[in-house]
Amino acid sequence: MAQGEVFGFLGPNGAGKSTTVRMLTTLTTISGGSAQVVGIDVASDPDGVRRKIGVALQEVGLDPRQSGREILILQARLFGLSHAEATARARELLELVELTDSADRRTKTYSGGMKRRLDLASALVHRPEVLFLDEPTTGLDPASRLVVWEEVRRINQLGVTVFLTTQYLEEADQLCSRLAIIDGGTIVREGTPASLKADLKAKRGDGIEPTLDDVFLDVTGRGRERGAGEVREVQ
Amino acid sequence: MNALKVLGGRGLREAWRTPDALLPTLLIPLFFLVVNVGQAARIFPTDTTPFLRGQSYAAFQLPATILLAASFGTAALYLVEEIENGYFDKIRATPVSRTSIALGRLIAEPIKIAIMTIVIVLIAIPFGVSVSSGIIGLILLVILAAGWATGYAAFLQFVALKTRSAAATNSAGLVFFPLLFLTPNFVPRDLLTEPMEIAATFNPVTYVMESMRSLILEPLNWANVAPGFLVVSVFVVAMLAINVQVVRSYD
């Protein structure tokens, strides 16, 4: 991954996306080989990695009995900030994700979109160099999804490198400067969305502009049958 | 140390904000105190029952009440909830020591139970109960209850971490009931039938209960108090060590 990019990690269900994220974020022991994040070995210096990364997993990890502000302050203090620094940082992040008005309400009263935005903010308290987002928009309605996309772009503009897994190819197309497709535990294709589409267009030679969906289906060994206005996936 | 303080503070806030979970831990033991005393107090009148040492039967029953209050460990159920919703992973992804993560939530438990023990003793005073070992005895009683609560909460937290299941953690909490009934709960150990006496002798809760009873019924007697402190110390150290180990190897 290059510094400052939004890197997409795509793959069918069960391909190993979430497991990869959990390994890179020190939450699961690496079963084989080695991994480095920001030049730090994940297995030998997990705390070093933790200081450099932010994590927002598939499940929105919030404590329902605390307010949004308390969660951010607690998270910041766990990264070593003083109470005053943590309070100031929480205020700043609540403004960033536009949750200032709801900051002192307990998170159990938040909507799904608000919870996800707070989760993103809590991953940023210590100004990480890399932000890992594991399917950040799964389960959100289309409007909330657009808000999260906007947040991811804003975070990236602040200089944070983003590693994003998603099942939504449109999301990857919108957000990622580069992506990799994993299937059966192996990366089967890597490049920019434009280059991957151009490669497929050249390969098919039919002059039709492929979408990222077509690229995904092509590299994961699936195809599409077209006819009578219907499109269906076949193995 | 900072992380331990921060996580401990969160545990206390959590307890304060969930009175619906806290109240039963006070009311259910008091209910058992009232029922047990109501059933047996006339069998053991103060003036003709030497083991009461001049106090009411409620004083004899008080340790069971305190121990029951100290054995709910509701915080472990919140931990399961956090494992399920991903918040536990969020905390694990921070660079704080795994020991702080293991112990952070447990810090609130002794504070909660210390307050609850004082409340139970205050409620019992109008019913003719006093702490015969004085203020030092009361402090020791509170420490013993808080220690037991820490060990038991750590046991339930261990179950929560291993099973990640609310049902299993809830069921593990019930383990205390057979242990409580295998103690000299209603009469001193030497008045139990032989099989019960043997069972009570092998039951570590017996020694905690007898130490508490000694503090309530007689002037400070270290020989009678020490076994309970020894059992609680071993229990707490063992449970905390297991918890730290489980959090370190948690995947």
Side-chain angles (χ1 to χ4, degrees):
Chain A
M1 276 175 64
Q3 196 178 353
E5 71 177 346
V6 180
F7 187 84
F9 201 53
L10 314 180
N13 288 334
K17 303 185 295 291
S18 294
T19 304
T20 305
V21 168
R22 291 184 68 82
M23 285 178 177
L24 293 174
T25 54
T26 77
L27 294 172
T28 296
T29 309
I30 294 176
S31 49
S34 64
Q36 287 193 344
V37 175
V38 205
I40 304 168
D41 188 82
V42 176
S44 63
D45 187 9
D47 276 349
V49 172
R50 288 171 189 140
R51 284 190 195 93
K52 300 281 185 184
I53 64 167
V55 185
L57 296 171
Q58 208 168 329
E59 304 86 14
V60 177
L62 299 175
D63 179 348
R65 286 167 289 275
Q66 291 190 84
S67 71
R69 192 187 306 278
E70 284 168 343
I71 283 177
L72 294 181
I73 291 174
L74 183 136
Q75 196 74 9
R77 299 217 61 200
L78 294 180
F79 277 96
L81 275 69
S82 70
H83 187 76
E85 289 167 338
T87 305
R89 182 67 178 146
R91 195 182 309 122
E92 196 180 317
L93 286 167
L94 286 163
E95 277 171 27
L96 177 77
V97 296
E98 295 171 6
L99 284 174
T100 305
D101 292 344
S102 326
D104 297 310
R105 268 168 43 199
R106 293 188 202 168
T107 60
K108 66 180 174 188
T109 66
Y110 284 19
S111 69
M114 290 164 80
K115 283 179 180 170
R116 179 50 84 187
R117 276 147 57 205
L118 182 66
D119 192 36
L120 285 176
S122 77
L124 297 171
V125 288
H126 55 300
R127 296 185 170 84
E129 289 181 34
V130 183
L131 177 63
F132 286 89
L133 301 176
D134 189 15
E135 302 195 10
T137 59
T138 298
L140 293 185
D141 62 58
S144 301
R145 186 172 296 166
L146 289 176
V147 173
V148 171
W149 288 3
E150 199 45 50
E151 293 301 336
V152 173
R153 286 194 191 99
R154 224 188 303 186
I155 290 163
N156 180 242
Q157 279 162 9
L158 295 172
V160 179
T161 306
V162 180
F163 185 99
L164 170 90
T165 78
T166 181
Q167 291 187 340
Y168 303 114
L169 300 173
E170 186 199 354
E171 184 165 286
D173 215 359
Q174 288 282 330
L175 294 176
C176 300
S177 41
R178 219 157 51 86
L179 52 88
I181 299 173
I182 181 175
D183 195 15
T186 309
I187 292 178
V188 288
R189 197 67 56 89
E190 195 178 341
T192 64
S195 72
L196 293 176
K197 285 186 266 190
D199 288 350
L200 182 61
K201 187 178 174 184
K203 180 183 160 190
R204 292 204 300 213
D206 57 6
I208 299 170
E209 283 297 332
T211 63
L212 210 48
D213 290 40
D214 296 319
V215 174
F216 181 84
L217 295 171
D218 180 60
V219 299
T220 57
R222 292 170 177 233
R224 276 180 172 180
E225 262 184 3
R226 293 167 186 271
E230 291 179 340
V231 178
R232 64 189 180 92
E233 288 179 20
V234 293
Q235 281 296 130
Chain B
M1 202 59 197
N2 179 51
L4 201 56
K5 200 173 109 189
V6 169
L7 291 170
R10 180 180 75 108
L12 278 174
R13 267 203 306 277
E14 178 182 88
W16 177 249
R17 287 174 183 178
T18 50
D20 46 335
L22 204 56
L23 273 179
T25 66
L26 179 65
L27 296 182
I28 292 172
L30 286 174
F31 168 80
F32 276 108
L33 176 66
V34 170
V35 169
N36 289 348
V37 171
Q39 285 182 348
R42 288 182 69 183
I43 305 169
F44 304 111
T46 302
D47 44 2
T48 57
T49 311
F51 67 75
L52 293 182
R53 294 173 181 260
Q55 291 213 47
S56 72
Y57 189 64
F60 190 83
Q61 276 288 315
L62 200 61
T65 307
I66 294 170
L67 277 170
L68 186 57
S71 305
F72 277 82
T74 43
L77 289 172
Y78 293 136
L79 174 63
V80 175
E81 188 184 287
E82 284 172 11
I83 289 171
E84 285 171 352
N85 77 13
Y87 191 59
F88 186 61
D89 278 340
K90 197 96 184 166
I91 291 175
R92 285 202 310 127
T94 62
V96 300
S97 76
R98 306 297 98 170
T99 305
S100 296
I101 294 175
L103 306 190
R105 182 177 279 283
L106 296 173
I107 282 187
E109 211 59 28
I111 298 169
K112 251 171 24 185
I113 298 305
I115 294 167
M116 214 173 277
T117 303
I118 292 169
V119 170
I120 289 171
V121 170
L122 288 175
I123 289 172
I125 288 172
F127 298 95
V129 176
S130 62
V131 179
S132 299
S133 53
I135 190 73
I136 294 173
L138 178 63
I139 293 166
L140 291 174
L141 184 68
V142 168
I143 293 171
L144 205 51
W148 176 261
T150 308
Y152 204 75
F155 161 67
L156 291 179
Q157 181 169 286
F158 162 71
V159 175
L161 288 165
K162 284 305 269 187
T163 66
R164 305 175 194 189
S165 153
T169 306
N170 226 353
S171 302
L174 299 176
V175 165
F176 182 69
F177 279 95
L179 288 175
L180 181 64
F181 287 112
L182 288 177
T183 58
N185 185 11
F186 288 94
V187 291
R189 204 168 1 149
D190 55 3
L191 294 182
L192 293 172
T193 60
E194 197 180 345
M196 277 299 291
E197 190 184 349
I198 293 169
T201 303
F202 283 102
N203 179 3
V205 182
T206 294
Y207 302 97
V208 186
M209 181 180 279
E210 287 178 343
S211 292
M212 287 183 165
R213 197 166 276 158
S214 167
L215 290 166
I216 293 166
L217 295 178
E218 58 186 13
L220 195 54
N221 179 340
W222 286 108
N224 290 343
V225 171
F229 275 92
L230 183 66
V231 166
V232 165
S233 303
V234 171
F235 184 44
V236 169
V237 169
M239 283 300 131
L240 294 186
I242 288 171
N243 270 269
V244 171
Q245 194 50 42
V246 171
V247 171
R248 277 188 184 148
S249 59
Y250 188 96
D251 254 351

